[in-house]
Amino acid sequence: MLLKDEVSEAWMQNMAMEMNLSETAFVFPKNDHFEIKYYTPTVEIPLCGHATLASAHIMYSVGLVPTDRPIYFKAKGGDLVIHYENGFIAMEFPEYQVSSTEIPVNFESLLGFKPIEMYKSEANWFIAIAENQKDIENCSPNFEALNANGLGHLMISAKANYKEADFVVRCFVPESGINEDPVTGSAHCALTPLWAKKLNKSNLVSHQISKRGGELILNYFNNKVKIKGKAITVFKADLAI
C-alpha cells in the first residue's frame, strides 16, 4: 500500500488483517528515503523479501521512482537498497548471523524427518538442514504443535537434487499467523551465507518449494545478501478510507 503519510500501527495492523495475506507492506516517503512496514494478519515483522520486491516493482511501474535510480527503504530489520536490473528487482539485504544449536529431541515427531544440523539465526529463525531434498518435499508439520514446542519460526532446507538450484527451502511461521510462507526473502538473509560457506560459492539459486513456490537468485558479498526476482502486477485498487 503506497501512502502519502505515516499512519498508526493499529490502522496498519487492522488493514493487514483485512487483506489476510502472508504480509502486507505499507510504504510512505520520509525525508530522502521511504519507510516500509510489514504486517502479517496478526503482528508486525521487521523484514519481508517478497513484500519489498512487490513494493519496489509497483514504485518503478507507476514512475514513483525512475528505473535508473535506486530506492532506499528503511525497515525495522535494516536499511535496504533496491535497484532495477534488466527486468529484475535486485534487493540488498543485511546478513543474518547463524550459530549451531542442538536438535530438539522431538523434532522428528513434529516434522517427520531428523535433521543433520540445526542452527539459530538473528531475527529468531531456527534452521534445520535435512540430509536430502525428499525430506523437505515430504514434510507435513502440525503447525499448532510446532508453535507449542518453540519452533513457530522455522525454515527447513537441503541441497537441491537437480542442477537448476543449489538448495531448496520451506518456511513455517505459525507464531506470526503464517503456517507456510510461499516465498521468504528474509529467510535468505541467513540461508545465503550459510549455503555460500557450505558450497564454497557466492552466487546461488534457491528454490522455495512451497505449494506456490518461487525462485530466488542470490549473491553473497561484503556481509550482505543480494536477492533478485521478478514481480507481476495482477490488479490495482484505490482504498476508500
Side-chain angles (χ1 to χ4, degrees):
M1 297 191 70
L2 302 181
L3 305 169
K4 292 181 180 179
D5 298 295
E6 187 171 4
V7 294
S8 71
E9 293 180 2
W11 187 91
M12 289 186 281
Q13 184 63 78
N14 286 335
M15 187 55 62
M17 181 177 64
E18 215 42 53
M19 295 297 100
N20 199 33
L21 299 168
S22 295
E23 290 87 14
T24 301
F26 300 88
V27 178
F28 52 89
K30 196 167 186 180
N31 301 324
D32 60 348
H33 64 274
F34 291 89
E35 296 280 329
I36 186 165
K37 308 276 190 181
Y38 315 98
Y39 285 82
T40 78
T42 58
V43 295
E44 182 181 7
I45 60 173
L47 194 61
C48 176
H50 60 270
T52 304
L53 178 78
S55 299
H57 164 75
I58 293 298
M59 292 168 71
Y60 281 132
S61 297
V62 302
L64 188 59
V65 178
T67 55
D68 61 352
R69 288 178 51 195
I71 299 172
Y72 297 99
F73 283 132
K74 282 191 179 292
K76 277 193 172 181
D79 294 343
L80 315 177
V81 184
I82 317 298
H83 296 271
Y84 185 86
E85 296 183 3
N86 299 318
F88 284 88
I89 304 295
M91 309 180 292
E92 293 181 17
F93 275 32
E95 173 186 4
Y96 287 169
Q97 297 294 324
V98 301
S99 57
S100 296
T101 189
E102 291 188 7
I103 299 169
V105 294
N106 60 343
F107 189 99
E108 188 171 6
S109 66
L110 293 171
L111 288 111
F113 72 93
K114 187 173 182 179
I116 56 174
E117 296 173 321
M118 193 87 177
Y119 297 90
K120 182 77 182 292
S121 86
E122 292 181 79
N124 297 316
W125 281 106
F126 280 102
I127 308 166
I129 304 298
E131 186 172 4
N132 58 68
Q133 182 176 323
K134 284 292 182 184
D135 287 338
I136 308 302
E137 293 173 350
N138 296 334
C139 179
S140 183
N142 179 316
F143 296 112
E144 288 186 8
L146 278 187
N147 215 18
N149 284 271
L151 293 173
H153 204 178
L154 173 70
M155 55 180 105
I156 58 173
S157 186
K159 186 176 179 180
N161 62 11
Y162 47 85
K163 65 181 181 180
E164 291 82 7
D166 294 289
F167 63 92
V168 297
V169 61
R170 292 173 68 187
C171 293
F172 310 124
V173 205
E175 74 174 24
S176 296
I178 308 162
N179 285 340
E180 180 164 5
D181 197 33
V183 186
T184 317
S186 59
H188 289 77
C189 294
L191 286 171
T192 304
L194 183 62
W195 281 108
K197 291 166 187 172
K198 284 182 175 296
L199 301 175
N200 194 29
K201 58 192 300 188
S202 57
N203 295 307
L204 304 109
V205 176
S206 166
H207 283 181
Q208 190 150 337
I209 53 174
S210 64
K211 186 175 181 180
R212 287 173 60 188
E215 177 180 89
L216 297 93
I217 300 169
L218 308 163
N219 176 247
Y220 178 51
F221 70 104
N222 297 333
N223 302 115
K224 291 184 179 180
V225 175
K226 185 176 184 179
I227 305 172
K228 290 175 68 173
K230 290 185 176 182
I232 298 171
T233 303
V234 293
F235 65 86
K236 299 178 181 179
D238 294 323
L239 179 65
I241 302 175

